[in-house]
């Protein structure tokens, strides 16, 4: 508002002086001042009139919704509208992949500084890691991405409405705008791509609300001295690895003896053991019973059961619940429109992203298939092709098999295809051949034994042709490495194909083409 006041005074002065100059000069100055005022103002811009009808209305401005709307309009000329109540980019850009990877990079630099001593460097830090400055720069980067998404929508002529959308029927959506006014839009087709939100802890734990969730992790302003994380999925594991590397005393509470339980047993056991070696305090077979807060210090005390005993963790700066995500399918009119949900609240869809109601589609995290950003983008683009691309795209859909995924743990994890238990169930143990290797990457050659991290690879082959049906890797560089192997496996690679590729030496990846 102060900026507005300054520019109001400038504008008034300009108007007074303009009487002594030509009309054209006055008009030019006023336009420049108005432009500057809009640039610096923090008040919302005046919305253009909202269309009453559109070809495609997308509810949710995350990766999948953006991918579908932009292709429908920008490539195929459909009239598209996207409605988002939060920030553009969805979970990935704002509270997921993007800020997570930036934080992982910071943790990797911290590890490199520590490792540099083994290579003869003498790195002296003049002050501790400035987490607050890092956090604000990370926020600014995300904000730039938000702005880029908005510009891209404009470039592709997608009508962007900031508000809350609710289905009224299979062709009507009510939008509540930021000022509280409501408008109804008719659409030939509606895509629901609203994503998910962090799962809340059970209300049976007194004081559970004193913790934050996985979204709230990115609001933390200062590096915690002591942090407790609850969860065994990739979000919890990534948070624990990053905070431990950055210097926080990190406690990870899991319900079983290992974490990442959706991954191959080699990954589960290998990364769990490595976290213990790195100093993460693992509380296995644990459950929280009560959370308390000291009103004088703001510190938390966590009471818990672990195995057959009980314990408490005191002086905790932050408790982070990272126990999964829940689809945001409540209060958006799905039931009223007749859209079928499953027992977990996900929208039931077929392989073409069709819901149970004609003209209503769903994709991304809200449909509960593979909850990864690139999957949502691909599904959105294939849907736009099928709906608006003509006969050549009539059967366009995403293939949900053999989707590569990476966990930015410590070390990194990569996985594609079937785990060993899944392969046994599908093909039978007698029809499988498992190739495994475990070694120390050359990066650790100069380090003491206690500072050397593990590298483990597994290739699962099925049938007489030894088709690769699963590949699982953990170790330095696994995230980048998996993309190339993912292409090969998607194309139906066999063990013979891997063997025929000349190794790149010296690399860790060469082990995957020299397995015996």
């Amino acid at each position: 508002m102060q900026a507005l006041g300054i520019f109001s005074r400038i504008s008034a002065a300009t108007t007074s002086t303009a009487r002594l100059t030509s009309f054209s000069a006055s008009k030019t100055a006023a336009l420049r001042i108005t432009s500057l005022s809009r640039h610096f103002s923090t008040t919302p811009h005046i919305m253009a009139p909202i269309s009453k009808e559109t070809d495609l209305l997308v509810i949710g401005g995350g990766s999948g919704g953006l991918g579908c709307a932009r292709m429908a309009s920008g490539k195929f000329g459909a009239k598209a509208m996207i409605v988002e109540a939060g920030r553009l980019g969805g979970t990935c850009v704002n509270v997921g992949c993007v800020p997570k990877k930036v934080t992982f990079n910071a943790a990797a630099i911290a590890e490199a500084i520590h490792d540099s001593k083994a290579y003869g460097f003498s790195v002296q830090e003049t002050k501790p890691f400035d987490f607050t400055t890092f956090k604000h720069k990370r926020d600014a980067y995300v904000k730039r991405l938000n702005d880029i998404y908005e510009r891209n929508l404009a470039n592709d002529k997608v009508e962007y409405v900031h508000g809350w959308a609710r289905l009224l029927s299979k062709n009507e959506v009510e939008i509540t705008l930021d000022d509280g006014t409501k408008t109804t839009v008719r659409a030939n087709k509606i895509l629901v791509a609203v994503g998910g939100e962090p799962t809340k802890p059970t209300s049976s734990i007194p004081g559970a609300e004193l913790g934050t969730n996985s979204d709230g992790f990115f609001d933390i302003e200062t590096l915690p001295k002591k942090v407790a994380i609850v969860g065994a999925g990739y979000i919890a594991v990534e948070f624990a690895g990053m905070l431990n590397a950055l210097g926080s005393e990190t406690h990870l509470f899991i319900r079983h003896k290992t974490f990442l339980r959706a991954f191959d047993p080699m990954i589960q056991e290998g990364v769990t053991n490595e976290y213990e070696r790195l100093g993460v305090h693992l509380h296995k077979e644990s459950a929280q019973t009560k959370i308390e807060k000291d009103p004088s210090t703001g510190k938390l005390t966590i009471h818990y059961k672990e195995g057959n005993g009980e314990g408490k963790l005191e002086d905790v700066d932050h408790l982070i619940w990272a126990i999964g995500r829940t689809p945001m399918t409540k209060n958006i009119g799905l039931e009223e429109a007749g859209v079928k949900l499953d027992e977990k609240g996900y929208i039931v869809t077929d392989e073409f992203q069709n819901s149970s109601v004609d003209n209503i589609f769903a994709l991304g995290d809200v449909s509960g298939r593979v909850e990864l950003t690139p999957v949502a983008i691909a599904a959105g683009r294939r849907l736009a092709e099928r709906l608006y691309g003509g006969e050549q795209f009539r059967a366009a859909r995403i293939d949900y098999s053999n989707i590569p995924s990476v966990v930015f743990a410590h070390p990194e994890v990569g996985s594609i295809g079937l785990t060993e238990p899944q392969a046994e169930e599908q093909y039978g143990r007698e029809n499988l051949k498992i190739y495994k290797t475990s070694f120390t990457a050359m990066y650790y050659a100069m380090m003491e034994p206690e500072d050397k991290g593990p590298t483990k690879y597994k290739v699962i082959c099925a049938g007489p042709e030894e088709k690769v049906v699963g590949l699982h890797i953990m170790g330095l560089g696994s995230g980048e490495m998996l993309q190339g192997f993912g292409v090969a496996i998607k194309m139906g690679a066999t063990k013979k194909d891997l063997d025929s590729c000349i190794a790149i030496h010296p690399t860790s990846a060469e082990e995957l083409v020299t397995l015996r």
Side-chain angles (χ1 to χ4, degrees):
M1 295 303 293
Q2 184 177 3
L4 279 174
I6 292 171
F7 284 108
S8 295
R9 291 194 293 273
I10 295 173
S11 183
T14 303
T15 303
S16 177
T17 307
R19 296 191 184 101
L20 303 177
T21 59
S22 69
F23 173 77
S24 60
S26 173
K27 184 177 180 180
T28 300
L31 285 172
R32 287 174 177 170
I33 295 302
T34 302
S35 175
L36 282 169
S37 182
R38 282 200 303 267
H39 179 75
F40 285 99
S41 174
T42 58
T43 58
H45 62 276
I46 298 173
M47 292 289 295
I50 297 173
S51 299
K52 295 299 183 183
E53 293 186 355
T54 188
D55 295 326
L56 173 68
L57 191 147
V58 178
I59 304 176
S63 300
L66 289 165
C68 186
R70 290 185 58 199
M71 179 165 282
S73 177
K75 184 173 182 179
F76 299 117
K79 184 177 181 182
M81 174 186 293
I82 194 163
V83 184
E84 170 59 53
R87 293 180 290 174
L88 287 174
T91 298
C92 175
V93 169
N94 296 293
V95 287
C97 336
V98 170
K100 177 272 300 288
K101 185 63 184 293
V102 173
T103 309
F104 176 83
N105 291 341
I109 291 172
E111 290 175 321
I113 292 173
H114 174 268
D115 295 343
S116 67
K117 298 172 186 177
Y119 277 85
F121 292 91
S122 179
V123 179
Q124 295 183 345
E125 297 183 65
T126 58
K127 62 179 182 179
F129 170 59
D130 189 346
F131 186 88
T132 302
T133 296
F134 162 76
K135 189 264 186 192
H136 291 167
K137 291 186 71 174
R138 185 184 65 196
D139 290 348
Y141 175 58
V142 170
K143 177 62 170 62
R144 291 198 299 273
L145 294 180
N146 296 147
D147 295 341
I148 289 171
Y149 277 116
E150 186 167 356
R151 289 197 296 272
N152 286 341
L153 287 176
N155 291 339
D156 286 325
K157 296 180 173 54
V158 176
E159 186 174 353
Y160 166 44
V161 179
H162 195 269
W164 181 269
R166 178 183 177 85
L167 288 166
L168 298 179
S169 70
K170 69 175 185 178
N171 290 113
E172 285 188 317
V173 171
E174 178 187 77
I175 303 173
T176 302
L177 303 176
D178 294 339
D179 61 4
T181 59
K182 299 179 186 292
T183 186
T184 300
V185 178
R186 286 190 58 82
N188 293 331
K189 301 183 187 303
I190 298 170
L191 170 61
V192 182
V194 294
E197 61 184 350
T199 301
K200 296 178 181 178
T202 174
S203 58
S204 64
I205 305 174
E209 72 281 356
L210 295 172
T212 187
N213 57 35
S214 53
D215 287 359
F217 168 83
F218 298 103
D219 292 328
I220 295 174
E221 286 279 344
T222 57
L223 184 67
K225 290 183 179 179
K226 182 185 288 189
V227 63
I229 302 166
V230 181
Y234 72 92
I235 298 174
V237 171
E238 289 176 336
F239 285 174
M242 293 184 295
L243 288 171
N244 181 68
L246 291 172
S248 296
E249 179 184 322
T250 304
H251 294 255
L252 180 59
F253 291 84
I254 60 177
R255 291 186 297 172
H256 300 278
K257 292 182 179 180
T258 59
F259 48 64
L260 296 178
R261 291 174 58 79
F263 287 78
D264 188 86
M266 181 194 75
I267 299 297
Q268 294 181 40
E269 296 162 10
V271 183
T272 299
N273 292 338
E274 178 64 359
Y275 268 42
E276 290 183 300
R277 186 190 76 82
L278 291 172
V280 175
H281 301 269
L282 281 184
H283 300 268
K284 301 177 181 180
E285 299 179 308
S286 63
Q288 293 65 47
T289 56
K290 183 171 63 174
I291 315 297
E292 297 176 312
K293 183 174 183 178
D294 186 331
S296 61
T297 65
K299 304 279 188 178
L300 302 178
T301 297
I302 301 170
H303 299 262
Y304 59 92
K305 293 179 180 179
E306 184 173 348
N308 297 321
E310 296 184 355
K312 66 177 180 179
L313 183 64
E314 299 178 300
D315 296 322
V316 175
D317 295 299
H318 289 284
L319 165 63
I320 302 170
W321 299 101
I323 53 178
R325 294 185 69 82
T326 302
M328 296 179 65
T329 49
K330 293 182 179 179
N331 304 316
I332 59 173
L334 291 170
E335 296 88 346
E336 292 86 342
V339 177
K340 185 179 179 181
L341 307 178
D342 69 13
E343 66 279 2
K344 294 183 178 180
Y346 292 103
I347 297 175
V348 177
T349 59
D350 64 11
E351 60 185 352
F352 292 100
Q353 312 303 150
N354 298 308
S355 77
S356 58
V357 176
D358 290 342
N359 302 324
I360 297 180
F361 310 88
L363 54 79
D365 293 1
V366 79
S367 63
R369 289 178 180 264
V370 180
E371 298 182 25
L372 295 171
T373 295
V375 173
I377 295 172
R381 290 173 177 169
R382 297 299 82 74
L383 179 61
E385 288 173 346
R386 183 169 70 84
L387 295 180
Y388 302 105
E391 183 62 23
Q392 64 176 316
F393 294 111
R394 184 173 59 85
R397 64 180 178 86
I398 183 176
D399 177 6
Y400 282 97
S401 65
N402 284 329
I403 293 174
S405 64
V406 166
V407 182
F408 290 99
H410 297 255
E412 292 177 34
V413 167
S415 178
I416 182 171
L418 302 176
T419 65
E420 189 171 340
Q422 289 170 339
E424 285 186 18
E425 182 178 352
Q426 183 168 331
Y427 293 98
R429 183 69 190 180
E430 68 279 7
N431 297 312
L432 297 179
K433 188 161 186 182
I434 313 296
Y435 296 87
K436 295 187 288 186
T437 183
S438 179
F439 61 97
T440 301
M442 189 179 288
Y443 174 82
Y444 299 108
M446 310 296 288
M447 299 178 191
E448 298 299 322
E450 63 270 18
D451 291 327
K452 295 183 179 183
T455 305
K456 297 177 183 289
Y457 296 160
K458 177 188 287 188
V459 176
I460 304 169
C461 300
E465 75 280 15
E466 292 196 358
K467 181 180 180 180
V468 180
V469 297
L471 184 146
H472 310 280
I473 57 179
M474 58 170 279
L476 294 174
S478 292
E480 297 290 346
M481 192 186 306
L482 184 65
Q483 188 71 78
F485 283 99
V487 173
I489 293 171
K490 194 73 175 175
M491 295 175 68
T494 64
K495 179 63 167 60
K496 185 177 180 180
D497 292 323
L498 297 185
D499 293 342
S500 70
C501 183
I502 302 300
I504 302 172
H505 183 76
T507 65
S508 292
E510 69 179 299
E511 295 290 330
L512 286 169
V513 298
T514 57
L515 287 169
R516 294 290 181 267

